Amino acid sequence: MSRLSRRTFVYTAIALLSAGLGPQAIAAEPIKIGLITALSGQSALAGEAISRGMLVAIDEINAKGGLLGGRKLELVRRDDEANPAKGVVAARELIYKEKAAVIFGGLDTPVSMAIVPLVNQAKVPFMGPWAAGTPITKNGANPNYVFRVSAVDEIVDMGMVDYAQKHFKTSKFGLIMVNNPWGESNEKGLVAALAAKGMKPVGSEKFEGNDVDVVPQLTRLKAAGADTLFMVGNVGPSAQVVKSLDRMGWKVPVVSHWGPAGGRFTELAGPNAKEVHFVQTYSFFGKQSPVGEKVIAALKAKYPDVKGPENITPAVGVANAYDAMQLTALAIERAGSTDGDAIRQGFYKIDGYDGLIKQYKQPFTPAVHDALTEKDYVWAQFIDNRILPVGLAQ
């Protein structure tokens, strides 16, 4: 080694050590966790809820010393603007530039469906804390790198039918669905759920995400004799369904997937937003478990706008993301590395975890990549801009 290069080496080493970047610090570089979700637009509130759930979990994990011998977790976020093409661009950046160990998907089934082939090809685990499309996890890949802590359409659809029959005592169901892969997933699931009970829908109608008038579709469902509507759509289009019902003067029960919970639904839908009953996986209202109390306290400490359960909204975004992040951390620990395939197998090695939504017992197997079941759902309404379980909403 020349005198100049030796001098450069010594100076560089001194500079690194002075900055606290010695061999141990360099080895303990952060583990990057990517998040692709809507951080702007009508569903930004839900994207922020996912972020908050993840960050509370990450703070907790880092406070305990991090993972893999002291490596801290670092969240790297990208806004997909609810656009599949932008979601794919974000996924490529997180995989190949940021070298994220695991990527979390966000809100929209079409965005997640566009990302799924990419992560399976790149062998990077993908965790879903919101999008419920059945084919996201049941995607046919072997090995499959996609996991989820969220609702699953085909299970929610059975729950929607059961809930409508028990709560409203109705039997003539009309389907009003957004015209995209999420709507298609639920149309298929609802038809199957009704067929299992010897029934079929009296009609099935589609609407576009930017429609501002759904009266023609609803008029056809009314003429067909529908006494209950099953609705699937995100915040904006779901609000248009409610406003179109108002214009028609048609008072009919609406049982919905959880799309309305993702943002400014009450503001956009008007006073009859409260008439929509929708599925949730968690509520911060009512008696909480020790984990629930801990999460509420952490949210209050971290976010000044959180004064109580009414400010933790949508609750499913926070709860699903919190549990999903904790389970992902366990998978990384079981893997003993940040190698994608090792983490995938690490998910199968989780025996149990006392979570926010429930106590998980072997939540993932090679055949089952969804941690939540039909027993993990609650039904809710908007009351005074608050998402309350139906029992508390009366």
Side-chain angles (χ1 to χ4, degrees):
M1 186 182 291
S2 69
R3 183 179 300 172
L4 182 60
S5 61
R6 281 200 303 270
R7 184 180 299 166
T8 302
F9 175 80
V10 170
Y11 287 162
T12 301
I14 291 171
L16 288 171
L17 289 167
S18 298
L21 297 175
Q24 288 182 331
I26 295 169
E29 64 182 23
I31 299 170
K32 291 184 179 180
I33 306 294
L35 170 60
I36 304 167
T37 190
L39 297 170
S40 58
Q42 294 173 341
S43 296
L45 187 64
E48 176 63 20
I50 292 171
S51 300
R52 289 184 174 192
M54 292 181 70
L55 285 167
V56 166
I58 285 171
D59 286 350
E60 198 175 300
I61 294 159
N62 286 344
K64 293 177 180 176
L67 302 174
L68 305 180
R71 296 177 65 182
K72 299 298 178 70
L73 295 175
E74 177 186 323
L75 182 63
V76 183
R77 305 193 307 170
R78 294 291 183 271
D79 184 1
D80 62 32
E81 300 176 37
N83 182 309
K86 291 184 178 180
V88 168
V89 170
R92 290 188 185 281
E93 185 175 339
L94 290 171
I95 291 168
Y96 299 110
K97 181 181 177 183
E98 298 292 345
K99 308 293 185 186
V102 178
I103 295 174
F104 276 57
L107 296 167
D108 299 277
T109 288
V111 177
S112 291
M113 290 299 298
I115 293 171
V116 163
L118 183 63
V119 293
N120 275 328
Q121 182 181 25
K123 298 184 172 164
V124 173
F126 182 71
M127 172 59 76
W130 188 289
T134 302
I136 293 172
T137 47
K138 295 186 177 180
N139 55 57
N142 186 20
N144 179 11
Y145 285 80
V146 184
F147 299 84
R148 178 163 47 192
V149 178
S150 184
V152 183
D153 284 343
E154 64 183 10
I155 302 176
V156 169
D157 296 333
M158 290 186 282
M160 289 170 73
V161 174
D162 286 344
Y163 182 79
Q165 287 184 308
K166 292 173 184 175
H167 192 82
F168 294 112
K169 314 296 184 191
T170 49
S171 60
K172 296 180 180 178
F173 305 112
L175 277 52
I176 183 79
M177 310 270 138
V178 65
N179 188 23
N180 69 17
W182 187 36
E184 293 166 12
S185 171
N186 282 282
E187 182 179 37
K188 180 179 177 182
L190 282 164
V191 168
L194 288 169
K197 292 174 175 282
M199 296 185 289
K200 61 182 181 179
V202 298
S204 182
E205 296 288 339
K206 300 287 181 64
F207 56 85
E208 301 301 325
N210 58 357
D211 281 354
V212 294
D213 182 18
V214 199
V215 169
Q217 297 96 312
L218 294 171
T219 299
R220 288 191 290 270
L221 291 174
K222 185 178 182 181
D227 59 13
T228 304
L229 297 180
F230 289 138
M231 181 173 72
V232 176
N234 281 334
V235 178
S238 292
Q240 295 302 335
V241 171
V242 173
K243 291 202 287 189
S244 293
L245 287 170
D246 289 345
R247 285 195 289 273
M248 293 171 63
W250 186 18
K251 301 288 187 183
V252 62
V254 179
V255 176
S256 175
H257 209 307
W258 62 14
R264 302 172 6 245
F265 182 66
T266 52
E267 173 191 337
L268 297 171
N272 280 330
K274 67 181 183 298
E275 303 302 330
V276 177
H277 291 210
F278 51 92
V279 73
Q280 298 281 270
T281 53
Y282 195 76
S283 173
F284 286 99
F285 288 96
K287 183 173 174 57
Q288 298 290 304
S289 68
V291 179
E293 291 175 355
K294 177 177 65 175
V295 170
I296 291 173
L299 287 164
K300 286 180 178 179
K302 190 174 180 68
Y303 301 104
D305 62 302
V306 177
K307 310 298 183 187
E310 66 276 8
N311 308 123
I312 307 172
T313 184
V316 295
V318 174
N320 294 357
Y322 176 86
D323 277 1
M325 188 65 250
Q326 295 284 4
L327 289 167
T328 297
L330 288 173
I332 293 170
E333 281 290 288
R334 300 292 190 275
S337 79
T338 56
D339 173 73
D341 194 57
I343 296 172
R344 178 184 67 83
Q345 295 181 60
F347 278 110
Y348 307 143
K349 296 174 183 176
I350 300 172
D351 297 321
Y353 164 63
D354 190 3
L356 178 60
I357 296 172
K358 68 174 186 177
Q359 289 185 324
Y360 298 85
K361 297 187 186 303
Q362 197 177 10
F364 303 108
T365 69
V368 178
H369 280 212
D370 283 291
L372 301 185
T373 73
E374 68 277 6
K375 297 177 182 177
D376 304 316
Y377 300 156
V378 295
W379 290 90
Q381 293 172 271
F382 276 104
I383 302 296
D384 298 328
N385 287 327
R386 300 183 300 167
I387 295 174
L388 291 176
V390 169
L392 294 177
Q394 301 304 325

